[in-house]
């Protein structure tokens, strides 16, 4: 196919003007010939001959123009089809420059899409490898940690029976460190499962007061570590919840652990209450502390993975920055939400709001 660098619009105009002038001069020539050849014929006979010959000439020119147009449209359609399949094309010479620029932009877009698809595939593969690594490492770490914790508990009992206070304190430190490391491994594994969409919800019906009493017993050591006091406020009448009790327990324990860590010689309050809104019953668990609190800019990032209020907080108090992330993820999985109100030097209030009855969400 030939490609001409002239302006396509001007070329089309020249074709139309040339055809029109050709028809006009052809009519004049035919009329002159008829006047000279048929001088004695009547006017209507001359007109009939002129009309007939002019019609034939117009028909021939129309066929030529139609052939030119059909070929042009076919070439244009062929170029558009090639472009839609991602092929590198040049539009015919009669096409506007805008179409050629569009073709170049589409080709660049196709190349970018191919690169993005490759990057997406690489990211998916990396995510799969990360999940496999966390799964494998969690098993490899949990097995020896559980053994260490078990032996530490046995040694604590032996040291207590023999009255060896020095050994008892050392073994207690080993036990605490092992439990802490095991908790970190569990948090990393939980977050990995959540991100991979492999974390499932197992709803069951349970009593809220029984849950709160259980949490009180479990969190006793966390509260006493910094000489804090735990206060539990709950309805006198026991209420029933139908949701994943393990995840609810972990949500509350993570919040209490966070509050106890940043509070010293203060109080940590766990408040449970129910409310009905729009025909649906909700339960709220509020964890209120009198600790160091947070500034507004710190509150904005505390639910992000591996993030704490600031770097000084991480150095002084430790932690991985995953506890609150898991609280948020679990709350959303159970159909609820978590909010926080805090003021530097005045303490913080974390509020988890969950439906009384868990309703599985339909997968899109």
């Amino acid at each position: 196919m030939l490609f001409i660098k002239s302006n396509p619009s001007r070329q089309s105009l020249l074709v139309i003007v040339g055809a029109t002038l050709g028809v006009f001069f052809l009519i004049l020539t035919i009329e002159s010939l008829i006047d000279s050849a048929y001088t004695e014929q009547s006017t209507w006979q001359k007109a009939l001959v002129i009309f007939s010959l002019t019609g034939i000439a117009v028909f021939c020119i129309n066929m030529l123009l139609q052939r030119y147009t059909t070929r042009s449209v076919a070439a244009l359609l062929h170029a558009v089809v090639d472009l839609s399949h991602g092929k590198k094309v040049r539009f015919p010479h009669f096409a506007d420059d805008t179409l050629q620029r569009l073709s170049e932009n589409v080709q660049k877009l196709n190349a970018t899409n191919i690169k993005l698809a490759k990057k997406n595939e690489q990211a998916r593969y990396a995510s799969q490898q990360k999940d496999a690594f966390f799964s494998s490492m969690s098993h490899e770490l949990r097995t020896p940690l559980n053994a260490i914790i078990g032996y530490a508990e046995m040694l604590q009992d032996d040291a207590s029976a023999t009255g060896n206070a020095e050994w008892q304190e050392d073994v207690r430190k080993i036990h605490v460190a092992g439990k802490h490391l095991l908790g970190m491994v569990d948090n990393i594994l939980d977050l990995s499962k959540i991100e991979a969409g492999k974390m499932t919800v197992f709803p069951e019906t349970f009593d809220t007061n029984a849950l709160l009493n259980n949490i009180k017993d479990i969190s006793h050591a966390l509260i006493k570590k910094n000489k804090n006091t735990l206060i539990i406020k709950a309805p006198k009448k026991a209420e029933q919840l139908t949701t994943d009790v393990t995840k609810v327990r972990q949500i509350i324990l993570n919040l209490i652990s966070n509050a106890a860590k940043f509070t010293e010689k203060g109080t940590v309050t766990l408040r449970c209450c129910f409310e009905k809104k729009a025909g649906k019953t909700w339960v709220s668990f509020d964890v209120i502390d009198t600790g160091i609190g947070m500034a507004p800019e710190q509150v904005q990032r505390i639910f992000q993975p591996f993030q704490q209020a600031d770097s000084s907080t991480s150095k002084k108090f430790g932690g991985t920055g995953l506890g609150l992330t898991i609280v948020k993820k679990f709350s959303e999985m159970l159909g609820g939400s978590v909010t926080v109100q805090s003021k530097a030097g005045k303490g913080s209030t974390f509020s988890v709001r969950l439906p009384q009855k868990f309703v599985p969400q339909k997968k899109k």
Side-chain angles (χ1 to χ4, degrees), residues 267-341:
T267 59
V268 177
T269 303
L270 172 58
R271 183 174 60 199
C272 174
C273 59
F274 289 80
E275 65 171 346
K276 287 187 177 181
K277 189 173 183 180
K280 192 174 183 179
T281 303
W282 297 81
V283 59
S284 295
F285 296 101
D286 303 323
V287 177
I288 309 162
D289 66 67
T290 58
I292 60 175
M294 294 175 288
E297 60 272 13
Q298 295 173 327
V299 173
Q300 294 178 358
R301 59 174 178 266
I302 58 172
F303 291 112
Q304 298 176 9
F306 305 103
Q307 292 287 331
Q308 291 193 353
D310 54 37
S311 58
S312 62
T313 300
S314 178
K315 292 179 181 178
K316 183 177 179 181
F317 297 96
T320 60
L322 289 177
L324 294 179
T325 303
I326 292 174
V327 167
K328 185 175 186 296
K329 297 289 187 181
F330 278 0
S331 299
E332 292 173 350
M333 285 182 64
L334 299 178
S337 61
V338 58
T339 57
V340 57
Q341 294 179 346

Side-chain angles (χ1 to χ4, degrees), residues 45-256:
Q45 290 177 328
K46 292 181 180 180
L48 180 61
V49 173
I50 292 174
F51 179 79
S52 300
L53 294 176
T54 302
I56 295 173
V58 171
F59 175 77
C60 294
I61 294 175
N62 178 64
M63 291 297 294
L64 291 174
L65 287 176
Q66 185 176 1
R67 184 179 180 185
Y68 173 81
T69 304
T70 303
R71 287 183 177 181
S72 301
V73 172
L76 182 61
L77 289 176
H78 182 71
V80 171
V81 170
D82 288 344
L83 180 61
S84 66
H85 287 85
K87 297 181 181 179
K88 187 175 182 180
V89 299
R90 278 186 61 84
F91 280 92
H93 61 276
F94 55 81
D96 192 85
D97 291 341
T98 304
L99 293 177
Q100 188 61 44
R101 290 195 298 270
L102 176 62
S103 171
E104 295 172 357
N105 291 335
V106 169
Q107 291 166 13
K108 292 179 181 178
L109 181 61
N110 289 335
T112 302
N113 287 337
I114 293 173
K115 292 180 180 178
L116 288 176
K118 291 181 179 179
K119 294 292 183 182
N120 186 43
E121 185 62 29
Q122 292 173 357
R124 187 182 294 108
Y125 176 77
S127 178
Q128 293 174 351
Q129 294 300 309
K130 181 198 70 174
D131 295 338
F133 170 78
F134 279 139
S135 178
S136 175
M137 288 305 297
S138 65
H139 173 73
E140 296 298 330
L141 289 173
R142 274 175 168 172
T143 301
L145 278 174
N146 283 324
I148 292 172
I149 293 170
Y151 278 114
E153 290 174 350
M154 292 172 58
L155 291 173
Q156 275 185 305
D157 293 338
D158 291 343
S160 177
T162 58
N164 193 328
E166 184 179 355
W167 279 25
Q168 189 173 2
E169 180 61 22
D170 292 338
V171 174
R172 187 193 67 81
K173 291 179 180 178
I174 295 173
H175 183 264
V176 170
K179 294 286 286 185
H180 177 68
L181 185 55
L182 183 61
M184 292 173 60
V185 172
D186 289 339
N187 285 341
I188 293 174
L189 182 61
D190 286 343
L191 183 62
S192 176
K193 286 183 177 179
I194 292 171
E195 291 180 345
K198 297 179 180 179
M199 183 67 73
T200 55
V201 177
F202 300 97
E204 58 182 293
T205 302
F206 58 93
D207 183 270
T208 54
N209 287 354
L211 172 67
L212 296 178
N213 290 331
N214 177 250
I215 289 173
K216 182 179 180 180
D217 294 336
I218 296 175
S219 60
H220 178 76
L222 296 173
I223 294 296
K224 293 302 179 183
K225 183 178 180 180
N226 284 344
K227 300 178 181 179
N228 294 311
T229 301
L230 177 63
I231 301 173
I232 296 181
K233 297 181 179 180
K236 293 181 180 180
K237 182 181 178 181
E239 297 284 350
Q240 299 289 316
L241 283 182
T242 302
T243 187
D244 193 318
V245 63
T246 303
K247 289 179 176 57
V248 174
R249 183 187 295 110
Q250 187 169 350
I251 288 172
I252 299 174
L253 285 174
N254 281 6
L255 292 178
I256 291 178

